[in-house]
Amino acid sequence: MNFDFETDYCIVGAGAAGCVVADRLSESGRDRVLVLEAGPSDWHPYIHIPATFLKLVRDPRFSWYFQMEPEPELKGRAQRAPQGKVLGGGSSINGLAFMRGQAAEYDEWVARGCPGWGYKDVLPYFKRIERYEGGDDAYRGRDGPMRVSGASEVHLLTRSFVAAGMELGFPRNDDFNGSAREGVGVIQNNREGRFRSGAAQTYLVRAKRRPNVQVETHALGRRILFEGKRAIGVEFGRGGKRLRVCVRREVVLSCGAIKSPHMLQLSGVGPAELLAAAGIPVLHALPGVGQDLHDHLYTRIAHRVRGTQSMNERTRGWRLAFELAKYAVTGGGIMANATTSGALFCRSRPELANPDVYVAFTPGSYVQQLQLEKEPGMAISVIQSHPESTGTIRARTADPEDDPAIQPNYLSAEIDRRAVVAGLRVVRKLFAAPSLAKWSSHETRPGPSAITDEDLLDFARSAGTPGLHFCSSCRMGTDERAVVTPDLKVRGLEGLRVIDASIMPGCSSGNTHAPVLMIGEKGAAIMLKERSAA
Ligand SMILES: Cc1cc2nc3c(=O)[nH]c(=O)nc-3n(C[C@H](O)[C@H](O)[C@H](O)COP(=O)(O)OP(=O)(O)OC[C@H]3O[C@@H](n4cnc5c(N)ncnc54)[C@H](O)[C@@H]3O)c2cc1C
């Protein structure tokens, strides 16, 4: 075989996890690291200004904007799934909410066959990521590469949401990344002053300065090259050319929960029947590849705002000009903040040991997925934290340019349907609490005609949108359906690991960025330990 590049480690995908792995593997200077990223560099200013990520999610230069399959339990609606396609991946176009998930979730990972991934094991890696000034030293990191901050300006409506939660008797939580998740409070962001502090702007920036690191953008990984059952390289496409990388040590797939299983399937690793149907020769039958896909479903109740300005008006016309000027001069204002800013973690049933519902407040409202309305509005989303509905990622053809079929099967599990309805009832109470009710003229979605549990479920089916927290499609574990072992090696193959959201045994509560960065940190540490022992 002829090769165009040679390296020790090749990381396919420079997203949240890929940037961390590239940085940590190259730190010692001992090994060469080559990173392949399908998208461009993170040059666009909208990546760096916190509020403007909404402008990029539909831009095909920076987002995959996948077409998903019709969802049977969502009335057959086929929705879009934006995913970062740029250095930093989702970490460059996401909503900056920084949430670790609950301690009990990681302990549950251990119970599900992932020794070494309990909360006490992963906590040091969470701390390693961040530079945060508040909170408790036992939980928070002080000198990591990524700056985590409180909101630079807490919107009046967000403060009212927190007060409303307390009026309902929920405890105030001043640090969702501290000892406990339960309660109501303000979301922290990965933000450095006025700018996004994402994986590309922190980890990858410093890695790129090293002579042993090479980053290739606009480089679409097409398949992994094998010698027997050992990965020896990667074929990628750029500008109509096919190029090959020879890999001396290991190939790391960090393409995210949609493209990592797709890339394995394109390389002949996956369920044998699926590969045969797509016309891909089987190299290694592995039934779990692309199975067990999870995502959070977001169902938003929205109200028309009166008596104050919501984010909707403040990001239009002359008010936008004012906000931009304020941002330019002071680095503050609405442009310096993410859209979703308040959170409540609660239980849908009192007997549960831990919160299973995540309620997220936005001082603005949407006409459709991540597109703000013109009229003043505010919205509260309900998210079942641990969905039991699972779906699939399936290659349709052998062509790497063809997107896979994406089917999360939202609301296919009864427990998810019940939790969403219970969460929507909590949201109705929050909007009725005095602190929030005073800013509302009326409920716009679903509106007063939705009364019964059936009405609310029907609303979730009609209006629920993908949470974009895709995970578990190359699930870690020790059972027959697991794709990677707890040290993130693809089962039955050599020289190949998956390190990204796809390995998570299930969704974390809250958002997935921080857990994925942790997976990058811990995955790299496992690799370096093996490297030193060799
Ligand atoms: C619009 C949006 C908003 C979100 N908001 C939040 C939030 O506020 N807080 C939060 O915690 N989480 C949020 N998330 C989720 C979070 O960003 C993701 O969970 C996280 O980025 C996943 O990391 P990853 O490394 O698994 O994959 P990604 O970050 O998606 O990275 C995968 C990378 O691989 C590249 N790639 C894919 N296939 C190939 C290939 N074949 N060859 C080369 N490169 C390839 C992609 O272009 C991408 O850069 C959001 C996600 C989106 C899309």
Side-chain angles (χ1 to χ4, degrees):
M1 229 183 260
N2 292 329
F3 290 100
D4 305 280
F5 299 83
E6 260 190 35
T7 187
D8 294 303
Y9 295 105
C10 179
I11 299 161
V12 189
C19 291
V20 177
V21 177
D23 174 55
R24 294 300 183 195
L25 290 186
S26 61
E27 238 170 351
S28 71
R30 191 166 46 170
D31 297 309
R32 287 201 61 75
V33 174
L34 176 70
V35 184
L36 301 176
E37 167 53 47
S41 74
D42 57 329
W43 62 271
H44 201 293
Y46 288 170
I47 290 173
H48 304 279
I49 302 172
T52 49
F53 78 94
L54 292 175
K55 302 260 179 210
L56 292 179
V57 294
R58 284 176 194 76
D59 185 333
R61 290 174 302 168
F62 301 100
S63 170
W64 293 91
Y65 209 45
F66 294 110
Q67 178 65 61
M68 296 163 76
E69 296 296 291
E71 282 288 312
E73 296 292 335
L74 300 187
K75 302 189 176 181
R77 289 184 298 132
Q79 303 193 68
R80 291 285 192 161
Q83 290 287 282
K85 183 182 184 183
V86 54
L87 290 185
S91 184
S92 283
I93 68 157
N94 72 18
L96 292 97
F98 197 84
M99 293 263 190
R100 284 180 185 180
Q102 304 180 49
E105 281 154 14
Y106 300 98
D107 295 338
E108 177 64 23
W109 289 15
V110 178
R112 291 169 68 178
C114 307
W117 290 85
Y119 193 59
K120 72 168 179 7
D121 306 305
V122 300
L123 181 58
Y125 297 103
F126 274 119
K127 291 174 76 172
R128 227 178 157 194
I129 298 164
E130 63 179 11
R131 204 158 18 95
Y132 182 71
E133 273 166 15
D136 180 345
D137 281 345
Y139 295 96
R140 304 308 307 255
R142 305 302 184 201
D143 52 10
M146 190 170 285
R147 182 87 161 99
V148 176
S149 318
S152 76
E153 174 192 302
V154 184
H155 197 287
L156 170 63
L157 290 171
T158 307
R159 289 201 305 261
S160 304
F161 161 80
V162 175
M166 292 167 70
E167 280 158 10
L168 295 187
F170 293 107
R172 188 181 170 111
N173 190 330
D174 284 323
D175 185 3
F176 286 120
N177 296 305
S179 60
R181 300 296 166 273
E182 193 142 27
V184 62
V186 176
I187 293 176
Q188 292 161 14
N189 298 136
N190 46 294
R191 184 176 50 75
E192 172 96 62
R194 67 177 70 188
F195 296 121
R196 175 188 294 274
S197 179
Q201 299 85 45
T202 54
Y203 287 94
L204 196 65
V205 154
R206 69 182 190 188
K208 279 200 288 189
R209 290 193 204 108
R210 299 181 189 127
N212 57 328
V213 175
Q214 187 175 351
V215 179
E216 297 289 329
T217 50
H218 299 287
L220 178 75
R222 295 176 58 86
R223 64 191 177 105
I224 304 152
L225 305 170
F226 288 94
E227 209 169 69
K229 297 258 167 165
R230 181 175 183 85
I232 55 150
V234 179
E235 179 185 281
F236 71 95
R238 186 167 51 198
K241 278 196 193 148
R242 289 191 193 176
L243 300 159
R244 284 179 171 164
V245 183
C246 170
V247 181
R248 288 185 286 262
R249 292 190 171 277
E250 288 190 69
V251 173
V252 178
L253 283 189
S254 297
C255 300
I258 293 176
K259 295 291 274 181
S260 280
H262 187 217
M263 179 93 173
L264 283 175
Q265 292 169 1
L266 291 169
S267 310
V269 180
E273 281 170 21
L274 183 152
L275 299 183
I280 303 167
V282 179
L283 175 108
H284 179 62
L286 202 52
V289 176
Q291 310 299 303
D292 299 323
L293 175 71
H294 285 66
D295 188 23
H296 288 138
L297 181 75
Y298 273 56
T299 309
R300 294 183 176 88
I301 293 186
H303 277 231
R304 187 66 63 237
V305 165
R306 61 160 185 206
T308 188
Q309 287 162 22
S310 75
M311 198 164 180
N312 300 3
E313 316 88 272
R314 285 177 69 185
T315 50
R316 277 173 209 283
W318 67 267
R319 288 199 183 99
L320 173 61
F322 172 77
E323 288 293 343
L324 287 170
K326 186 171 171 185
Y327 181 74
V329 176
T330 68
I334 209 130
M335 306 310 288
N337 284 282
T339 49
T340 299
S341 47
L344 163 69
F345 287 90
C346 61
R347 299 156 210 239
S348 64
R349 287 169 286 139
E351 68 272 19
L352 291 176
N354 292 295
D356 63 331
V357 169
Y358 169 33
V359 166
F361 179 80
T362 307
S365 53
Y366 299 102
V367 237
Q368 53 164 307
Q369 191 187 28
L370 300 177
Q371 198 178 336
L372 290 173
E373 273 187 309
K374 281 191 186 134
E375 298 80 13
M378 56 182 164
I380 307 185
S381 307
V382 166
I383 304 114
Q384 137 76 315
S385 293
H386 313 121
E388 290 190 8
S389 305
T390 61
T392 52
I393 301 290
R394 285 169 289 136
R396 299 169 204 269
T397 72
D399 185 350
E401 308 271 346
D402 289 345
D403 290 340
I406 305 165
Q407 178 118 52
N409 290 322
Y410 296 109
L411 296 184
S412 55
E414 174 61 20
I415 192 167
D416 298 358
R417 297 193 283 266
R418 272 193 264 138
V420 166
V421 171
L424 290 171
R425 293 245 172 256
V426 172
V427 171
R428 281 251 168 102
K429 286 185 190 152
L430 283 163
F431 273 125
S435 288
L436 212 47
K438 70 179 173 208
W439 304 120
S440 165
S441 79
H442 62 282
E443 181 179 288
T444 51
R445 281 171 211 211
S449 61
I451 298 163
T452 64
D453 284 0
E454 289 69 35
D455 295 339
L456 292 177
L457 181 58
D458 188 70
F459 171 60
R461 293 186 196 281
S462 313
T465 58
L468 309 175
H469 298 158
F470 299 106
C471 58
S472 312
S473 49
C474 296
R475 187 174 54 75
M476 160 171 67
T478 36
D479 57 290
E480 277 310 295
R481 256 167 85 106
V483 175
V484 296
T485 57
D487 50 8
L488 308 185
K489 291 178 176 160
V490 177
R491 289 176 58 233
L493 296 173
E494 284 170 51
L496 179 61
R497 297 195 208 227
V498 182
I499 306 185
D500 59 24
S502 69
I503 66 100
M504 293 167 74
C507 281
S508 56
S509 51
N511 314 64
T512 37
H513 183 219
V516 171
L517 297 169
M518 176 280 288
I519 289 165
E521 285 280 9
K522 184 161 164 67
I526 293 170
M527 291 177 73
L528 289 170
K529 194 168 170 203
E530 277 183 29
R531 169 82 173 92
S532 304

